[in-house]
């Protein structure tokens, strides 16, 4: 198992990430906290590009829980049928919208536990909302972060929760707010699963990955 990078090396890693992209942002489109929750929930096992294509027209007509309920499940399905698992996701969106109306006054809560109580909202989705909308230094670990965290030594762990804790415990505080964005984007475009682009990597000299590509 890859060991954890030394604190000073971690600081250099994230100093470089910050220099290259001072304020990284997620790639899902949203207009408010509710549409962010819906977009992230829809993105499970789907691409951000595909979700954005489907939600562009959807959010023009249903950008609040009540509007989504008024739209109805069948019309929601028409908007998102190009997304994987769309029927199950549509049911979850309708159920979470009802809960937001009934239990939260139509507002998206700022607590992880409350967010995770919503259908279709797991820990990763909750952390994305906490980080992007509420500006909490929450770390949303996806497959990209899990892969490069273990591959590089930045945040090794046997599961996503362990990787999340490794980020919280080992990334210097000043980088916590944007840490998961830098890591996701790095995994999405540079540290690819099958053929990592090590020649284009700005932290290649710091990374512990032994099978670097040329």
């Amino acid at each position: 198992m890859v060991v954890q990078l030394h604190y000073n090396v971690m600081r250099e890693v994230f100093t470089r990430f910050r220099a290259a992209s001072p304020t990284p942002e997620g790639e899902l489109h949203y207009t408010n906290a509710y549409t962010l929750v819906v977009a992230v929930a829809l993105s499970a096992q789907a691409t951000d590009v595909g979700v954005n294509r489907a939600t562009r027209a959807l959010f023009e007509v249903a950008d609040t829980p009540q509007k989504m309920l008024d739209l109805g499940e069948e019309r929601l399905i028409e908007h998102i049928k190009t997304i994987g698992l769309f029927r199950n996701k549509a049911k979850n969106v309708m159920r979470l919208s009802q809960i937001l109306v009934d239990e939260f006054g139509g507002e998206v809560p700022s607590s992880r536990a409350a967010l995770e109580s919503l259908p279709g909202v797991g820990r990763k989705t909750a952390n994305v909302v906490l980080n992007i909308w509420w500006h909490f230094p929450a770390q949303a670990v996806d497959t990209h972060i899990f892969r490069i965290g273990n591959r590089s030594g930045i945040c090794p762990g046997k599961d996503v929760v362990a990787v999340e804790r490794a980020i919280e415990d080992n990334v210097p505080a000043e980088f916590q707010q944007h840490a998961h964005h830098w890591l996701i984007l790095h995994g999405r475009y540079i540290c690819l699963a099958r053929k990592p682009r090590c020649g284009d990597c700005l932290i290649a000299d710091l990374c512990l990955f032994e099978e670097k590509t040329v």
Side-chain angles (χ1 to χ4, degrees), residues 32-211:
N32 55 29
Y34 172 70
T35 55
L36 176 60
V37 171
V38 173
V40 180
L42 293 176
S43 72
Q45 296 179 292
T47 66
D48 288 358
V49 172
V51 172
N52 290 338
R53 189 181 302 118
T55 57
R56 187 177 297 113
L58 172 64
F59 291 157
E60 290 179 359
V61 296
D63 61 354
T64 69
Q66 188 58 58
K67 288 181 182 178
M68 190 67 75
L69 294 173
D70 293 341
L71 182 70
E73 186 173 327
E74 290 306 312
R75 291 171 65 193
L76 169 59
I77 286 174
E78 285 301 307
H79 283 281
I80 67 170
K81 61 185 179 182
T82 57
I83 300 174
L85 307 175
F86 66 90
R87 292 192 183 279
N88 188 56
K89 290 177 180 179
K91 292 183 184 300
N92 285 335
V93 169
M94 299 309 294
R95 290 167 58 208
L96 74 82
S97 299
Q98 190 68 63
I99 291 171
L100 288 174
V101 169
D102 293 345
E103 300 182 18
F104 298 99
E107 300 294 325
V108 173
S110 59
S111 133
R112 180 185 284 116
L115 286 166
E116 287 192 62
S117 73
L118 301 173
V121 176
R123 187 177 184 88
K124 188 190 84 168
T125 298
N127 282 346
V128 170
V129 175
L130 291 172
N131 183 285
I132 293 178
W133 191 258
W134 298 110
H135 305 296
F136 294 166
Q139 309 301 332
V141 177
D142 69 352
T143 55
H144 295 301
I145 294 181
F146 184 79
R147 178 178 71 255
I148 69 173
N150 281 288
R151 175 185 278 174
S152 67
I154 293 174
C155 45
K158 63 181 180 179
D159 54 42
V160 293
V161 174
V163 170
E164 179 184 325
R165 288 176 179 161
I167 298 173
E168 294 173 345
D169 291 345
N170 298 296
V171 174
E174 66 186 282
F175 303 112
Q176 287 279 333
Q177 181 62 46
H178 296 307
H180 92 274
H181 284 306
W182 284 317
L183 293 171
I184 287 173
L185 294 173
H186 190 65
R188 187 172 288 171
Y189 297 110
I190 300 296
C191 195
L192 308 177
R194 294 185 180 179
K195 294 183 179 180
R197 297 169 52 200
C198 299
D200 298 321
C201 177
L202 52 79
I203 62 165
D205 59 316
L206 306 174
C207 169
L208 299 179
F209 184 49
E210 295 181 353
E211 300 174 22

